[in-house]
Amino acid sequence: SGRVVVGKFHDPKFANLPLLSKLRVFYYVTMVSMEKEEDHKKGVVILVFNMYRENNRTETWKNCTLLWNLPVRVTAFHICHDGDPKVRILVSLGIMAMGPFSRMHLRVHEGTLMECIYKLLTFGISSRQLPIKESDGVNTDQMIVWVKQRQTIESSRDQQKPKSKKARRPKRSSPDSCSSEFAVMPGEFDVLLGRGKSSQNHPGNIRFRQLVESKRDEYERAKVLEKTLIAERVVQTIRDLPGRFLRQDGDLWEEVDYETARDKVAHVFRDKRRKHKRLQQNGAESS
């Protein structure tokens, strides 16, 4: 289908690298691979191999948090492992962190390295695309060449940047003066932040309120940490549609970051709780 395939492979030679460094590398590779607008439209396929190291709960949770919240359209997840019971538990933990729409695109493959490769072939992922060696882990030769190419590209970009300390923002005198490359147009799945009938009547906002209402009882029964997880699942569900959380800045729309979107969801839950209590009080007074 011409989609970008980004793999996360584990090699014992890099087991001692800090987790944050490995997450940054994966994020950078994914975003660089999706630089073209056409690739964003088609989406990315995420491939994770957990065969080459001992897993732990902390690393699994942080990996999953990054995977489920990538700012790109993920069309499929493939997780491959050797069937170890401990790994199965960790995979289940990761699946619990996913929203229902993400689980629809997830495939878990168990077995030997060759068995997993054969299973991936049925999804159109060729073994020639995988930098894996059955004997000693990951073949990093092509990756090293790619890293050198990226260093050359990034250094040339740094040289082209203006030397002024403060980056100048583009003028916003009129919508026509803004390049269409940076324009964000609200879609039917997007949630528009702000007051007003135009935002409240937007199809994405209506769908968002229905989603929050469907989870209101679960949210009220949940503890503090569980409330945060429910809010995160709502954000992920909107993103999986795919939708975005947008706010207006002057004449333009811009996408808010993940934390702002999650806080917005939590605010809507709290607002629904207050309205529900008022309705109960008014009903009690009238009776």
Side-chain angles (χ1 to χ4, degrees):
S1 59
R3 293 189 178 96
V4 173
V5 179
V6 179
K8 197 171 189 302
F9 306 95
H10 304 284
D11 194 311
K13 291 181 292 186
F14 304 103
N16 294 327
L17 284 177
L19 173 60
L20 184 58
S21 298
K22 290 187 281 188
L23 293 177
R24 284 174 173 170
V25 169
F26 180 76
Y27 181 85
Y28 174 79
V29 171
T30 303
M31 300 310 298
V32 167
S33 303
M34 301 290 288
E35 283 184 330
K36 297 180 180 179
E37 182 180 355
E38 181 182 357
D39 294 330
H40 273 278
K41 292 179 179 178
K42 291 182 178 179
V44 62
V45 176
I46 303 294
L47 176 61
V48 179
F49 268 82
N50 281 334
M51 294 183 172
Y52 300 109
R53 63 170 175 81
E54 289 295 328
N55 290 272
N56 63 76
R57 294 176 62 182
T58 301
E59 185 161 346
T60 298
W61 185 261
K62 290 185 177 180
N63 272 291
C64 291
T65 302
L66 173 63
L67 289 174
W68 312 152
N69 296 291
L70 284 170
V72 295
R73 179 171 173 250
V74 180
T75 57
F77 289 103
H78 293 275
I79 300 179
C80 302
H81 65 91
D82 56 7
D84 184 274
K86 294 181 180 179
V87 178
R88 286 179 181 171
I89 295 174
L90 293 171
V91 171
S92 299
L93 177 66
I95 294 175
M96 289 174 58
M98 301 174 67
F101 287 92
S102 297
R103 283 195 286 268
M104 290 171 57
H105 303 292
L106 174 68
R107 296 292 183 274
V108 179
H109 311 291
E110 294 186 11
T112 64
L113 176 61
M114 294 308 299
E115 288 174 341
C116 289
I117 289 176
Y118 287 141
K119 291 176 182 177
L120 291 174
L121 279 172
T122 63
F123 292 90
I125 302 175
S126 172
S127 59
R128 290 176 295 179
Q129 298 176 268
L130 307 178
I132 303 176
K133 297 185 290 185
E134 188 172 7
S135 56
D136 56 350
V138 181
N139 184 355
T140 58
D141 295 341
Q142 294 183 351
M143 186 65 181
I144 292 174
V145 174
W146 182 85
V147 168
K148 291 180 179 179
Q149 292 174 346
R150 292 305 308 179
Q151 287 176 335
T152 303
I153 294 173
E154 297 292 348
S155 60
S156 63
R157 288 179 177 176
D158 291 338
Q159 293 175 0
Q160 295 174 2
K161 289 181 179 179
K163 295 182 180 180
S164 58
K165 294 183 180 180
K166 295 184 178 179
R168 292 179 296 178
R169 298 184 64 182
K171 295 181 179 179
R172 293 187 176 180
S173 56
S174 67
D176 295 335
S177 65
C178 299
S179 171
S180 61
E181 181 182 358
F182 302 99
V184 176
M185 298 298 294
E188 62 173 317
F189 298 115
D190 295 332
V191 177
L192 308 184
L193 307 187
R195 301 180 181 275
K197 289 185 178 180
S198 59
S199 296
Q200 297 303 315
N201 295 333
H202 184 71
N205 288 59
I206 296 174
R207 187 180 294 104
F208 169 62
R209 291 195 297 271
Q210 292 172 346
L211 176 62
V212 171
E213 181 63 30
S214 68
K215 296 184 178 296
R216 186 172 61 83
D217 292 338
E218 179 186 359
Y219 188 86
E220 291 302 318
R221 294 193 301 267
K223 298 179 180 178
V224 176
L225 179 59
E226 293 172 340
K227 290 180 187 291
T228 302
L229 295 177
I230 293 172
E232 290 179 349
R233 290 204 299 270
V234 171
V235 174
Q236 190 58 42
T237 299
I238 296 297
R239 286 186 167 187
D240 286 343
L241 288 174
R244 300 164 296 181
F245 287 80
L246 305 179
R247 67 182 170 195
Q248 200 163 17
D249 184 10
D251 296 328
L252 302 177
W253 289 94
E254 61 181 10
E255 185 173 6
V256 303
D257 56 29
Y258 181 80
E259 287 75 16
T260 302
R262 185 187 60 194
D263 292 343
K264 170 64 177 178
V265 174
H267 173 77
V268 173
F269 272 119
R270 292 192 296 269
D271 189 51
K272 283 188 172 291
R273 179 197 302 161
R274 288 192 293 267
K275 291 180 178 178
H276 184 69
K277 285 184 177 180
R278 277 201 299 268
L279 287 174
Q280 288 181 330
Q281 291 174 355
N282 293 336
E285 291 174 358
S286 60
S287 60

